[in-house]
Structure formats: structure tokens, C-alpha cells
């Protein structure tokens, strides 16, 4: 990591402020970033990071202060205006970066299709150009398939590839690895290293502290809309977290849970025809993590258990009886609950309040003679808000007004309202800060009695924080079971790729 301090700043912010009505989101922010520098921006959910990014990228106008690019004062009218100055942002919300109904290739070409000369693209030329853009991140994707067929992580990589094709002078990456596994994230880091060598400035926002240790030259800490700390590499992460939260985050010891009877069993189970068969038992009272690379089949296994897709072969037993849900309604009725990875697309209803979002699947339990007992509903919601320390203006405010971490807590609270036998959480820590991550993990384990819990984590560190057992998925099959006790991150990584010789035709877990 070599910063060249002799270079003048590409971007400088001086006293920048922003308010929404009477809410002051940013106050007197000074910041500069130089060519070839990776500047990390840290802050808890709601600290103002996304607002600051949107000002720099042209989505929001600032109320106070100045922005300077190459020493010249600028005021961006739109993201397109910012891109003309060489500033390209990849935002955290994946659904905002792709266009449903278009193919993967068309999404890769989106900026070029909207520009001059797009009418002269022939289909063959378009596919060739899309392949060139995908090669920026060494992606091998079905270019003619609809973008909806890709998972969240693959769509994120499409957005990143498109941003790189614009040849930015400043690249803003907001939680770029939130949906990526360790190896995919490392591939991105190598790209960042190459961009740094070419003199591209990078503003990097992430709650994965290990990311920041790997890529950042400097880190600035934002709290309550103000810059409150600056750290140089190698980063003192403990001090940075304390600066970010305003207090030290105490360590939590993972206490073993009492493992009970078998709740869910898979026997000779195959996700796809080409997948190896495996057996799996999930027990009452334990938390099991499922980890693997992008496309390994983690989410697909969960979708079968929730009635969203079919599997190729083998049996499923729930509480000792043969069982196979045909729809999510059947799964929920049997006590199998699933919080999907893409919160905005699968777990959130636009305009719904915190209360309505939380109680949506279980309104019958609050109904009496066809009428909903609102007092009982509000009381249960208040219990969950207190238990998960959900911060927000109140039960009746729209869910999307909450920070990302608090939205994630509401989705978890939704499924804790019901009497579930199996709780499946796909990437529950995605895009949340360290305090919210700890709160969510503690609540998952504290409420684990009486059900089996399966947590899907792309990040091995998250799996180590939450689980009693860790299962590694590869090519649609569980290929390893790793007890949590004394387990090292390196042991998980060793099972992620096919080079591990211990793989057998049928794995018994």
C-alpha cells in the first residue's frame, strides 16, 4: 500500500453539511482523497455514510460547504454529472444497480447503451463487449440470461464490472463484499490493488473490518454525521470501532447451546443431478452455519426447504415425518421460516410500517372473529423492538426509513414472532455494523431453544461468531462438517475449493 502524499487531492470536501427537514445528517465534514489512495469510511448504521456517498456521487445536493475536484469547486446536478468528472459509485442497494427485464449482457452494457452510438450495437458485438466488461472481474456469467436469474452476489459483481468499465478516477465502493464469499472478495481486492497502481482513488465503505485491514491506506470515522477520528495503516481496529461507536465493544464468549432432538433430516439428498448426495441432521437448540463460495448452492438448499424450488433426489423429514413443502405457505404452516438474502426484493413491502412488516406472516395469530387485535399486535412488536434494540422513530414509521442494520433486525424479529421449528437466515449480517451484528447474533442464540437454526454466511468469520457447527457447501452439496470448538478460519477455507481430497461421493453429517 503506497500512498503518494506529494500528489494533490483529486477530491476535497470542506465543511460539507446536509439536512433532511430538521434532521441534520452531516455536519461540517472535511475530507480529501488523493490519486492512488484507498480511503476507508467507517461508521455505525445511521452515521451518515450513505448520505455522504450520495453527495459525492451526485445523488444528493449538499446544504453547506464546498466540493472541489482537481481544485475546482463543483456542485453535481446528477450522478451523470459526477461521472463526467470521473466519479463512479457502486451503492450498497444491489436492486438499484440493475434493471429487471434486461439480460445480464444488457445490464453490463447499461451505461454504453444509454450513451451516444448505442444504436449501432449489433447483437454479436454487444455480447462481445459485455464479455469484455465481465472480464474486468474475471466473471463467467450467462450473458443472455435474464438478470433476475442471478443471485445477489452475482448481480453485485455485474454492477462492479460495469463501474470499472467507466474507467473512473474516483471509485466509491459501498459495502462491495457484503454478499461475496472470502475468495470472491479477495479477487476484488486484487482489482483494487491494480486500480491503486494506476492512480485511481477509491473510497471504500465496509462493516467487514478484515476488508479494511487488507485494502485501506487511511480510515476516517463518521459518527452522528461528524468526522470523529482518523487512522493510518496498519489500522488499529479496536480503536476505530471505539471511535465509531463512542464506546468499546465488549467481547462476547460463545456459550455452547443445549442440543436436543433431531428436527430436520435430509437423507441421500441431491440438489441437482450433478450434485453429490449428502445426509444432514439439524437439531433442536443448536445453531448451524452454512458457508461456501459464490454459486456453491447455499441459498438454493434453503429455497428447497422453504418450498421455493425443487430438488433432484432424496428425502426430507420434519419432526420424524416425511415432508416436502410445495409453497412457502406450506413451509410457514409447518413452522419452517426463511429470511432471504435480498432484503429489499424478498423481505420488504414498500411503504409497510415496522409493525406491519414484522407481523405480516402471522396476522392470524392476532385475529379475533375476523378483526385484528391491534393492542396485542403492538405489544408483541414492542417486545421484539426491546429484545433486539431496534432503533427508529416508532412502530408506525415505514421500514425503509430505518438504517440497514435496524431493517435487518426487524426481518429477524418477524420470524421470531412465530412458533417455528426451523429458522433459516440467509446472510443476516449483510451490511450491518459491528454492534448490530453482535445484537443479531446474540438474539439468534438466545432464542434458539425449541427450534433448529440454520444461518447462511459467505464470510467464515461470521460463521465462527454464530454457529455451533459449520457446514461447507460446494457444487450443491455439503462436503464437510466442522465443529466450532477450536476451529480456525483457515480450516474452513481449505474446504471451499475442489482441491480438498477428502471429498466423498456421499457425505454423512
Amino acid at each position: 500500500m503506497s500512498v503518494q502524499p506529494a500528489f494533490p487531492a483529486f477530491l476535497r470536501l470542506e465543511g460539507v453539511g446536509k439536512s433532511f427537514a430538521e434532521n441534520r445528517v452531516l455536519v461540517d465534514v472535511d475530507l480529501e482523497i488523493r490519486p492512488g489512495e484507498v480511503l476507508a469510511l467507517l461508521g455505525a448504521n445511521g452515521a451518515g455514510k450513505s448520505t455522504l456517498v450520495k453527495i459525492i456521487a451526485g445523488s444528493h445536493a449538499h446544504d453547506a460547504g464546498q466540493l472541489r475536484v482537481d481544485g475546482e469547486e463543483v456542485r453535481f446536478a446528477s450522478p451523470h454529472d459526477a461521472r463526467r468528472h470521473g466519479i463512479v459509485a457502486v451503492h450498497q442497494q444491489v436492486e438499484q444497480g440493475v434493471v429487471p427485464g434486461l439480460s445480464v449482457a444488457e445490464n453490463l452494457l447499461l451505461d454504453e447503451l444509454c450513451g451516444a452510438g448505442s444504436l449501432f450495437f449489433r447483437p454479436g458485438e454487444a455480447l462481445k463487449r459485455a464479455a469484455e466488461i465481465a472480464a474486468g472481474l474475471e466473471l463467467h456469467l450467462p450473458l443472455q440470461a435474464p438478470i433476475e436469474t442471478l443471485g445477489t452476489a452475482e448481480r453485485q459483481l455485474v454492477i462492479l464490472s460495469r463501474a470499472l468499465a467507466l474507467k473512473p478516477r474516483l471509485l466509491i465502493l459501498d459495502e462491495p463484499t457484503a454478499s461475496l464469499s472470502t475468495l470472491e472478495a479477495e479477487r476484488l481486492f486484487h482489482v483494487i490493488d491494480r486500480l491503486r497502481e494506476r492512480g485511481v482513488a477509491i473510497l471504500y465503505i465496509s462493516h467487514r473490518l478484515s476488508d479494511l485491514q487488507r485494502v485501506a491506506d487511511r480510515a476516517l470515522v463518521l459518527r452522528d454525521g461528524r468526522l470523529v477520528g482518523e487512522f493510518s495503516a496498519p489500522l488499529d481496529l479496536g480503536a476505530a470501532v471505539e471511535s465509531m461507536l463512542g464506546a468499546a465493544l465488549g467481547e462476547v464468549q460463545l456459550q455452547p447451546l443445549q442440543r436436543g432432538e433431531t428436527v430436520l433430516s435430509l437423507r441421500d439428498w441431491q440438489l441437482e443431478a450433478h450434485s453429490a448426495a449428502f445426509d444432514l441432521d439439524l437439531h433442536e437448540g443448536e445453531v448451524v452455519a452454512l458457508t461456501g463460495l459464490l454459486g456453491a448452492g447455499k441459498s438454493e438448499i434453503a429455497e428447497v426447504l422453504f418450498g421455493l424450488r425443487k430438488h433432484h433426489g432424496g428425502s426430507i423429514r420434519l419432526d420424524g415425518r416425511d415432508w416436502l413443502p410445495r409453497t412457502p405457505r406450506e413451509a410457514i404452516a409447518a413452522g419452517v421460516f426463511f429470511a432471504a438474502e435480498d432484503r429489499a426484493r424478498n423481505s420488504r413491502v414498500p411503504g409497510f410500517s415496522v409493525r406491519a412488516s414484522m407481523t405480516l406472516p402471522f396476522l392470524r395469530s392476532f385475529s379475533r372473529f375476523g378483526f385484528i387485535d391491534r393492542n396485542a399486535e403492538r405489544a408483541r412488536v414492542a417486545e421484539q423492538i426491546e429484545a433486539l434494540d431496534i432503533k427508529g422513530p416508532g412502530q408506525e414509521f415505514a421500514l425503509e426509513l430505518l438504517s440497514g442494520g435496524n431493517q435487518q433486525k426487524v426481518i429477524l424479529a418477524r420470524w421470531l414472532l412465530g412458533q417455528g421449528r426451523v429458522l433459516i437466515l440467509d446472510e443476516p449480517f449483510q451490511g450491518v455494523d459491528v454492534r448490530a451484528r453482535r445484537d443479531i447474533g446474540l438474539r439468534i442464540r438466545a432464542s434458539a431453544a425449541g427450534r433448529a437454526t440454520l444461518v447462511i454466511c459467505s464470510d467464515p468469520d461470521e460463521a465462527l461468531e454464530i454457529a455451533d457447527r459449520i457446514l461447507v457447501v460446494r457444487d450443491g452439496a455439503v462436503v464437510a462438517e466442522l465443529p466450532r470448538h477450536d476451529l480456525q478460519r483457515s480450516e474452513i477455507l481449505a474446504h471451499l475449493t475442489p482441491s480438498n481430497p477428502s471429498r466423498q461421493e456421499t457425505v454423512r453429517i
Side-chain angles (χ1 to χ4, degrees), residues 48-65:
K49 302 187 301 299
S50 293
T51 300
L52 182 59
V53 164
K54 289 176 180 177
I55 288 173
I56 296 172
S59 297
H60 285 336
H62 51 290
D63 302 331

Side-chain angles (χ1 to χ4, degrees), residues 3 73 131 327 331 476:
V3 185
E73 184 176 356
T327 64

